[in-house]
Amino acid sequence: MDGEGVARFVPESLPRAEGDPRGLPAGVILDAATRAGQVLAELDRQLTALARIFEVEIVEARQLGPHLVEVVYRHPSYDGLLGLTRDVSEKEVGVPPDDPHHALAVHENSVEEMTTMLRIELEEPLGSARTTTDASGIRWWGDPAAS
């Protein structure tokens, strides 16, 4: 894929008001040169721009390498902390460029769309998702953490 017609991430500053409940917690380090940093920056932008209340409280967000993010959060339906690990690496599109669904497949792989799906995952109750509780009591789910 040559990338023509595909939106590219442009890093922007992420000012936060002290005590603002929206967005990522102050102090989150974002490396805009990596896809994980781009997804976290976009998550911050999306949360800050929401017109409705985001009921999930993000306690911590971090990148583990260039393609893995972790988000520790409180969900109103659960006691204690939950943690989501997500691989945000760019996936093979798998749809030929002449296929009518190619543009949709490319969009689903974009930083913006991947971040939207991450935000939706954070908001949804876990249902039957398997969790693993770590030594500090955080119940983790999602992609396996990097070794």
Side-chain angles (χ1 to χ4, degrees), residues 42-98:
E42 177 63 16
L43 180 61
D44 185 69
R45 189 198 67 73
Q46 286 186 17
L47 294 176
T48 303
L50 278 177
R52 61 179 173 75
I53 295 173
F54 187 67
E55 295 182 359
V56 172
E57 177 193 354
I58 296 180
V59 176
E60 187 175 350
R62 58 186 168 254
Q63 54 188 96
L64 301 176
H67 303 289
L68 199 64
V69 298
E70 283 186 347
V71 180
V72 177
Y73 64 104
R74 286 188 180 89
H75 192 283
S77 300
Y78 299 94
D79 291 331
L81 294 175
L82 295 171
L84 171 61
T85 304
R86 184 59 63 222
D87 177 354
V88 296
S89 57
E90 194 165 356
K91 309 294 188 262
E92 183 67 37
V93 173
V95 178
D98 59 346

Side-chain angles (χ1 to χ4, degrees), residues 3-138:
E4 258 184 51
V6 177
R8 293 285 169 220
F9 174 78
V10 179
E12 56 184 291
S13 62
L14 299 169
R16 291 181 193 86
E18 193 63 35
D20 183 353
R22 294 178 299 174
L24 297 181
V28 171
I29 298 170
L30 305 171
D31 180 359
T34 66
R35 187 152 170 107
Q38 293 168 12
V39 167
L40 289 176
E42 177 63 16
L43 180 61
D44 185 69
R45 189 198 67 73
Q46 286 186 17
L47 294 176
T48 303
L50 278 177
R52 61 179 173 75
I53 295 173
F54 187 67
E55 295 182 359
V56 172
E57 177 193 354
I58 296 180
V59 176
E60 187 175 350
R62 58 186 168 254
Q63 54 188 96
L64 301 176
H67 303 289
L68 199 64
V69 298
E70 283 186 347
V71 180
V72 177
Y73 64 104
R74 286 188 180 89
H75 192 283
S77 300
Y78 299 94
D79 291 331
L81 294 175
L82 295 171
L84 171 61
T85 304
R86 184 59 63 222
D87 177 354
V88 296
S89 57
E90 194 165 356
K91 309 294 188 262
E92 183 67 37
V93 173
V95 178
D98 59 346
D99 187 294
H101 299 101
H102 180 76
L104 178 62
V106 169
H107 177 70
E108 287 178 352
N109 207 18
S110 71
V111 167
E112 181 181 42
E113 185 65 16
M114 195 164 280
T115 304
T116 299
M117 294 309 299
L118 176 65
R119 181 176 49 80
I120 290 169
E121 286 180 311
L122 292 169
E123 290 183 284
E124 291 294 318
L126 290 177
S128 61
R130 299 183 83 145
T131 63
T132 303
T133 305
D134 69 11
S136 60
I138 300 171

